[in-house]
Amino acid sequence: MQTGRSLVTGISRGNILLKLRSTVFLISFVAACALFLVSVGLPSRSTAQTNPVVIAPGFEFNIFADPTRVPEFALSAYHGPVSMAFDARGRLFVGTYSAKILILLDNNGDGVVDQVKTFASGVSQPLGLAFRANGDLFVTSNVLRGVGSIVRLRDTDGDDVADERITIVGGLPSEGEHQTDRLRFGPDGLLYFGQGSSTDNGTPQPGLPGERPLNATILRVDVDNPGEVTTFATGLRNPFGMAFHPGNGELFTTDGGSGEFSSCSEESTAPPEEVNWVVQGGNYGFPRCEGTPAPTNPNCAGVRSAVTQFARHLTPTSVAFYTGPQAGADRNQMFVTLFKRLCGEGGDLRRFTITGSAATGFQATELLPRIADFGIIDPFDGPVETQVDPISGDIYVARFDPVTHRDLDEHHHFIYRIHRTGSDSMPFIGPPSPSFVKVGSGAVTINFVGRHLKPGAIVLADGVPIVTRQGASIFDLAADLPASAVANPRVIMIEVQNPDGVRSNQQQLIVAMQDPLPDKTPQITLVQVKKKSKLIETVTAGTKAKKLTLIVTGTDFDAGAQLLVNGVALELLSASQTELDARFTKPMVAAAGELTIQVRNSTGKVSNTVRLIVAAAE
């Protein structure tokens, strides 16, 4: 975020300079407000929760998480949410400024968190979270006045705790005014992330570094071959929010201009805040050409203009795109949060249509009314992150409070859930797994993750009920397609019907002869075994199966690939085109012998066979 010398100060744009150990330094306008707050006290939690949130017609909201439901949020100003991401199972992961990654679960489907798990601790200032298709979680980590890094977290034993932590990128220049920000996987499979500037306006503060090659940039890296980080674009003072457009694959990021806020009545020469369409090799002006490029400024030659701008100092903090079944005709609208409320502006969630093309350029047009105005609880908190639930299309917005309050239990750290009016009465389902079946391949079981699925819900294939089973939770269903259903090429429309007769959105299951990876057969190149988080050389009979993870690396594994051991498919922990991870089962280590390992794609193609020895116990 931007400003003043620490990550959190980025949120408050130089108006609040935060230090750890619960010290708050206030300057200019904020200093005056602080005197008022000391005299009257900050509002209580009950006041905060009843403070009106103005929602656009056609939408509803509730508070999904707050300090009463998430004890971590109640500890101090530094324990609030700053990043969010959904995993493949539809679970919401939240990074807190206090260096924790939490899993917030709604186990009964009422839209409110009722279970909190700590996935990881000690990940300093996790401003960005991004899941890879294989289930790996990548996190930005910033040491205050130190360096930034990107860390890969894995849960190898399925207990919802990260037991493998590897630094993919280290030594990022994060000891200046801004830090290592959000990160997202691009359509090319590379990991993109924002790296803030070292200075506010190009001039270093005493004792702080000046601008260096990696500052004020969008960077990218191949996480499979992390090697050298490459620069994608430059001249972005603090590209905090970022997202790839789901339709055209283009990258859009926020950027906050330099300068300090003084008062509403004082004319400011600071540049406006922006959202930019970011292209490879693009220059966006910082520090010599902020704002709209001026033809009379020679430093503006070649600088690209923003797609939309905001009033000075409002601090745009996130970009997200509207997807999922609730989006409807509004699909792919761009959402932007403005953290600050100044002079009657900001502190809200805004939406835009994106028009144009990569050839002609893109434009952003704001749509009114704005989706949500989060109101004032105290002068310093605001929305900092937005994520859209990929299954339901619900919109989640995190609110962060960077001020330590008189009552340490009164921190305004909230996560709001915004959804279409009436949508809570409707079931939703994500894509079936597998989503492709080869013609004539026989009976197949398909699995779903859903929302608002009631006991007794059934799966319909082209409107016809098929055998349905409850999965591990109220959000999981499995259903059996008979061989006759996949005997001929077709597209089967899959939906779920609750006992009250209400049907879900539809998903496609493709039955075809064509291999989604034409003329390619999966190939195993390496088989490894981990015991807890460490690779082991020998598997011994009698070892507890739940402590062992089988890791198979190779090529051309498709979306429905299965990991076979002695011809039996294992339950996968994670999957990608190059790696399948699964837990051992008890029969695999019941006695000494030989295990045959293969990968079978959803097309029926089977890989080479690799043998793994299970040694006799000594």
Side-chain angles (χ1 to χ4, degrees), residues 226-244:
E228 182 180 357
V229 171
T230 59
T231 300
F232 185 71
T234 60
L236 292 149
R237 178 178 175 272
N238 196 31
F240 195 79
M242 64 188 304
F244 286 90

Side-chain angles (χ1 to χ4, degrees), residues 538-542 584 587-595 612-617:
T538 304
V539 178
T540 304
F584 271 57
M588 291 168 60
V589 290
E594 187 178 86
L595 304 177
L612 178 67
I613 302 300
V614 178

Side-chain angles (χ1 to χ4, degrees), residues 174-333:
S174 297
E175 70 273 38
E177 294 276 346
H178 307 111
Q179 289 73 40
T180 306
D181 299 325
R182 303 273 193 245
L183 71 175
R184 299 285 185 265
F185 279 96
D188 55 7
L190 300 180
L191 183 62
Y192 290 71
F193 57 99
Q195 181 65 49
S197 64
S198 279
T199 69
D200 172 62
N201 59 8
T203 302
Q205 295 284 341
L208 293 180
E211 302 299 338
R212 291 152 295 177
L214 296 185
N215 283 118
T217 61
I218 299 292
L219 305 172
R220 63 180 178 179
V221 64
D222 179 353
V223 297
D224 291 320
N225 302 283
E228 182 180 357
V229 171
T230 59
T231 300
F232 185 71
T234 60
L236 292 149
R237 178 178 175 272
N238 196 31
F240 195 79
M242 64 188 304
F244 286 90
H245 191 288
N248 55 44
E250 298 295 328
L251 177 62
F252 292 82
T253 75
T254 65
D255 193 22
S258 60
E260 304 286 355
F261 177 79
S262 295
S263 70
C264 294
S265 60
E266 181 176 335
E267 184 175 351
S268 175
T269 59
E273 319 285 75
E274 298 178 343
V275 173
N276 288 280
W277 165 42
V278 180
V279 301
Q280 185 170 3
N283 174 15
Y284 295 85
F286 179 81
R288 299 180 181 86
C289 179
E290 290 189 87
T292 303
T296 56
N297 182 353
N299 295 309
C300 291
V303 170
R304 302 180 68 90
S305 297
V307 297
T308 192
Q309 294 181 332
F310 308 104
R312 302 171 177 91
H313 311 306
L314 291 186
T315 312
T317 48
S318 71
V319 176
F321 288 95
Y322 202 8
T323 56
Q326 292 182 47
D330 297 332
R331 182 170 302 277
N332 297 342
Q333 285 182 359

